[in-house]
Amino acid sequence: MMDKKQVAAVLDQMGTLLELQNANPFRIRAFQNASQIIEGITEDLDDLVDRQTLTDIDGIGQGLAKIITDLVKTGSSREYEDLRKSLPAGLLDIIRIPGLGPKRVRLLYEKLKIDSVEALKRACETHQLAELTGFGEKTEQNILRGIERLRKTSEKHLVPRAAESAEKMLKAISRLKAVKRCEVAGSLRRRKEVIGDIDIVASVEEKHRASIVKVFVSQPEVSSVVAQGETKATVVLTNGINCDLRLVRDNEYPFALNYFTGSKEHNVEMRSLARRKGWSLNEYSFSLLKGAKKQSRIPVCRNEEDIYKALGLSYVPPELRENMGEFDASRKGAVPKLLEEKNLRGTFHVHSTYSDGANSLEELTKAAQKLGWDYWGVADHSQIAVYAQGLSPEKVNEQRREIENLNARLKNFRVFHGTECDILSDGTLDYSNDVLAGFEYVVASIHSKFNMNESEGTKRLIKAVRNKYVTMIGHPTGRVLLSRDGYPCDMVQVIDAMADYGKAIELNAHPSRLDPDWRLLKYAKEKGVKVFINPDAHNADGLRDVRYGVGVARKAWLEARDVGNAWPTREVEKFFAAIRA
DNA sequence: GCCGTTTTCGGCCCGACTGTTTTCAGTCG
């Protein structure tokens, strides 16, 4: 009745409702934690329920297992219904307003009967809040601004846009003489697929703090200042993204950087590990735990590596800090050597002037050479894509001849001839097998009929995966395969099929459309499915967009050998040939 | 609510900022 996404949402909501009820904070955390766990599992939730193995998962006990089982089986649960009935639904909207937490939401409801954002807005405008103890005029103003901000920033920001702003702000800070070290932290450093806000950490002598904060808040990118203190400032940038600056002493810097990089889940585990050594860990330092039975001497930590070392761990790259197995790997010294941008030797999903691309084969080749690559692959649209000048079989032959001529002239560089072939609604492909056999590789993509139900959608894709000439499944429209709210299909099943048939998957890194789910990518890696980081480029500049995919690939623990475009030319040729063999 | 090669009971992460206080609670990250 409910899938894992829905179950996760319900558990999170139960946590919030418990907060509003002023319940035991650890009980609250148990629900929030469980929500995270369920969202992250790659096994089939139905299976776990049927086999009654939910309690094998760390963090899920008898109580939560019962609730989850009820939700999956019946679509509801006694505990959930009781909680939901105990408070008006509108409070769940109100609590999302920045500056309002469970205590004050509860108070507003009890004293002023405020049970919706609209009612709250009216109450602020008529200054009813200021009459309550603990509230004043300033708070009313802040809430009104919060309501407005929530409306504007409810959507999260994509990595490339946030990265661009972050670079500008970082540059403004780092060029100041008083700043010793500074770096972007937070989810941007962890390369999450979407970014909430930008965190910058800087080390600076105390006497210079005020001047640094002043420079920060007066940057041209800043549209308003939310908070400005001695060690912290928060601003809203002109593009609507929040940006935080934290100032610390230089000896505190590694701790601050680590702390503000997160994730929260990673930090919680770090602190637990510190406690076991008899230390307390915060954003400034280790300190000896008062009254601990066993205490170890605290080593000097000059950088993040030292902190991990102190806890008996090898360095954990920011992309892996999600408490999703990185501590185990780190203890065993088995942290993978993650993909680097410089590992990439080329890319394969590129459109030329033959279909809807803006640059010729020659121009694209020059751009790829300029990036230091060894190859690239053309993948123009197939014939049904009339809107994009999809290629007829005759045109395909013409293109092949041009590529052969080009390759004959090129030294130490190779252009591959592929296609982005449409998967039709019945799962068959837009070219006959005869035509497909003429390509070196085939990216099979969906551009039509996005409103199928999940089982039909899954069948359609798996049928395409089975086609002997398909090399990799692409995701052309952005809201597709590896994204959580994309094309209706059970991606786990599709990945299983790819593993069975030795096919690859495309991580489409087109920046304007990026929202790939790294958990699914990680699952693909575990299954041995190769990944190609492709830009879906329509011009020469677009080739560079692969760099946005590298961060997501790192989050999924991908190493150079897991990624097709990190292989040398010969290996790529072999892989393509093996698929049709 | 969860968890246990120190525990089946008693723990479970911590500091800064804000606005309203006259010493601090609530919120945030």
Side-chain angles (χ1 to χ4, degrees), chain A residues 60 73 76 130 137 174 194-195 249 266 274 318 410 428 498 528 534 539 555:
Chain A
I60 310 281
K73 291 267 182 218
S76 186
E137 200 179 327
S174 65
V194 286
I195 301 299
R249 295 190 191 91
H266 184 86
L410 291 166
T428 59
M498 287 189 221
N534 287 344
N539 58 52
K555 273 199 97 55

Side-chain angles (χ1 to χ4, degrees), chain A residues 104-174:
Chain A
R104 302 170 96 183
V105 171
R106 169 103 192 177
L107 189 77
L108 289 173
Y109 172 58
E110 278 172 355
K111 299 280 185 196
L112 297 177
K113 297 270 165 277
I114 290 172
D115 60 2
S116 71
V117 176
E118 263 315 300
L120 177 61
K121 196 168 172 217
R122 276 197 304 274
C124 286
E125 283 160 355
T126 52
H127 305 299
Q128 289 178 55
L129 261 59
E131 291 165 22
L132 292 175
T133 42
F135 290 84
E137 200 179 327
K138 197 90 180 259
T139 306
E140 287 179 337
Q141 297 294 320
N142 282 342
I143 289 174
L144 284 173
R145 267 210 302 277
I147 291 173
E148 186 58 20
R149 194 145 68 94
L150 181 67
R151 205 178 55 75
K152 259 197 209 151
T153 62
S154 56
E155 85 261 39
K156 292 258 188 165
H157 311 283
L158 296 176
V159 170
R161 221 160 68 101
E164 204 176 295
S165 302
E167 268 167 38
K168 277 188 200 154
M169 295 302 284
L170 185 69
K171 214 164 158 191
I173 295 301
S174 65

Side-chain angles (χ1 to χ4, degrees), chain A residues 296-540:
Chain A
S296 328
R297 198 181 55 85
I298 295 173
V300 177
C301 295
R302 292 198 172 78
N303 49 43
E304 273 192 317
E305 278 89 341
D306 292 343
I307 299 175
Y308 286 98
K309 205 169 141 199
L311 295 173
L313 301 166
S314 64
Y315 180 71
V316 177
E319 288 89 343
L320 302 191
R321 297 180 195 169
E322 299 287 344
N323 199 11
M324 295 277 288
E326 72 272 22
F327 287 102
D328 257 351
S330 170
R331 257 189 296 271
K332 293 184 201 140
V335 174
K337 198 172 174 326
L338 297 176
L339 182 77
E340 309 268 350
E341 206 175 315
K342 62 173 194 265
N343 293 137
L344 295 188
R345 307 311 314 146
T347 195
F348 291 98
H349 187 148
V350 182
H351 297 280
S352 73
T353 42
Y354 275 85
S355 67
D356 60 348
N359 291 104
S360 67
L361 300 182
E362 199 125 5
E363 289 162 339
L364 289 162
T365 301
K366 281 206 184 103
Q369 285 174 324
K370 215 170 155 192
L371 289 168
W373 291 350
D374 297 332
Y375 51 77
W376 71 278
V378 61
D380 275 316
H381 288 285
S382 57
Q383 53 195 353
I384 201 171
V386 196
Y387 60 92
Q389 297 92 52
L391 275 60
S392 66
E394 293 73 33
K395 214 61 178 144
V396 169
N397 287 331
E398 187 187 323
Q399 187 177 50
R400 181 177 310 111
R401 282 193 293 277
E402 184 180 338
I403 290 173
E404 280 165 3
N405 287 334
L406 198 55
N407 276 328
R409 295 204 314 269
L410 291 166
K411 284 233 158 66
N412 300 323
F413 196 90
R414 175 91 148 74
V415 181
F416 285 90
H417 188 206
T419 174
E420 180 183 16
C421 185
D422 260 56
I423 299 170
L424 306 179
S425 55
D426 62 355
T428 59
L429 292 171
D430 187 28
Y431 288 129
S432 68
N433 279 354
D434 286 348
V435 176
L436 290 176
F439 292 106
E440 289 174 280
Y441 68 97
V442 174
V443 180
S445 302
I446 287 174
H447 292 94
S448 62
K449 286 264 288 191
F450 293 104
N451 55 356
M452 290 181 152
N453 67 41
E454 186 173 308
S455 88
E456 281 176 348
T458 307
K459 262 193 230 156
R460 179 183 182 187
L461 272 169
I462 289 180
K463 188 161 176 194
V465 170
R466 287 194 183 127
N467 181 297
K468 144 173 202 186
Y469 293 103
V470 168
T471 314
M472 64 188 98
I473 297 293
H475 72 132
T477 70
R479 319 204 75 224
V480 196
L481 304 179
L482 286 169
S483 104
R484 251 158 290 171
D485 50 359
Y487 178 77
C489 73
D490 181 344
M491 204 47 210
V492 170
Q493 275 188 54
V494 178
I495 289 171
D496 288 345
M498 287 189 221
D500 288 345
Y501 290 86
K503 301 299 173 71
I505 189 165
E506 170 184 297
L507 167 57
N508 187 305
H510 196 296
S512 63
R513 305 161 175 171
L514 181 71
D515 188 16
D517 187 340
W518 52 270
R519 293 174 197 86
L520 280 170
L521 264 187
K522 194 168 176 217
Y523 179 70
K525 177 195 161 102
E526 283 160 15
K527 284 280 176 174
V529 172
K530 299 302 177 194
V531 172
F532 284 81
I533 300 178
N534 287 344
D536 196 351
H538 286 75
N539 58 52

